Amino acid sequence: MYGQKTTKILSELDIAEPSDYGGEALMEAETVARQLKDKATILRLSGIYGPNRKRMIQLAQSNPGNWPATNNWSNRIHEEDAARFIVFLMKRIMMNESIEPLYLVTDGVPTKQYDVLTWIRNRLQLTTDTIELPILESGKQLQSVLLNQTGFVLKYPDFTYGYEAIID
């Protein structure tokens, strides 16, 4: 979604500049949503993970030679926190409280992908001594300014809390 190449941490206050077809399609969908007769709020969810979304755990368990060739920044949100935030916003609407037209729904702790994979692998008591870290290539660091301003509290404030619960 955010196609710009930058070391700056991006939020929903930054203009998204999609650099691929998927990002362009998402921007087009947001444009359509903004044109609806009834007011719409757009939620941009970062990488969703949870008990039924275990791609990173499966990748961490695999041979590190199968891991991505680059160590990109990654951002995530636990599926339970995403659902809880949607309910939180709906309650605010039902109480006639205002909400923003756009929220970036992310835990706000951008992490290098290999750090997540290595942490999971260590937690599973799998060896990490032969893992070679590639250079950091790309990806975006995301943080939600507006979600944080609502007073909503994440149950899983970073990947370690969320993956710990899944692994246990």
Side-chain angles (χ1 to χ4, degrees), residues 65-85:
N66 296 328
W67 291 9
T70 58
N71 189 15
N72 296 337
W73 284 105
S74 64
N75 305 273
R76 65 202 44 75
I77 186 72
H78 192 284
E79 62 187 22
E80 184 178 339
D81 279 335
R84 288 178 54 248
F85 185 65

Side-chain angles (χ1 to χ4, degrees), residues 138-150:
S138 65
K140 301 292 176 270
Q141 297 179 72
L142 303 175
Q143 188 171 49
S144 180
V145 170
L146 300 177
L147 181 147
N148 292 336
Q149 289 176 354
T150 66

Side-chain angles (χ1 to χ4, degrees), residues 103-121:
Y103 290 94
L104 178 57
V105 184
T106 186
D107 69 15
V109 184
T111 309
K112 295 174 194 164
Q113 193 171 28
Y114 269 61
D115 290 348
V116 176
L117 292 168
T118 302
W119 183 91
I120 292 170
R121 201 165 167 87

Side-chain angles (χ1 to χ4, degrees), residues 1-3 16-31:
M1 187 75 164
Y2 294 94
E17 300 171 1
S19 60
D20 60 14
Y21 175 76
E24 290 170 5
L26 288 171
M27 285 301 299
E28 185 176 334
E30 287 185 10
T31 299

Side-chain angles (χ1 to χ4, degrees), residues 5 14 36 58 61 65 67 95 97 100 123 142:
K5 292 183 186 266
D14 295 292
L36 294 173
Q58 293 165 343
Q61 290 173 317
W67 291 9
M95 295 177 1
E97 294 178 15
E100 297 293 335
R123 177 60 180 77
L142 303 175

Side-chain angles (χ1 to χ4, degrees), residues 4-5 12 27 49 58 62-63 69 73 76 88 91 120-122 125 132 134-135 141 146 150:
Q4 47 273 65
K5 292 183 186 266
E12 59 272 81
M27 285 301 299
Y49 73 102
Q58 293 165 343
S62 73
N63 180 331
W73 284 105
R76 65 202 44 75
F88 174 84
K91 287 180 179 178
I120 292 170
R121 201 165 167 87
N122 279 327
Q125 299 179 351
E132 293 184 33
I135 61 166
Q141 297 179 72
L146 300 177
T150 66

Side-chain angles (χ1 to χ4, degrees), residues 83-102:
R84 288 178 54 248
F85 185 65
I86 292 168
V87 170
F88 174 84
L89 291 179
M90 291 172 59
K91 287 180 179 178
R92 290 187 73 165
I93 291 167
M94 290 170 42
M95 295 177 1
N96 292 321
E97 294 178 15
S98 65
I99 64 170
E100 297 293 335
L102 170 69

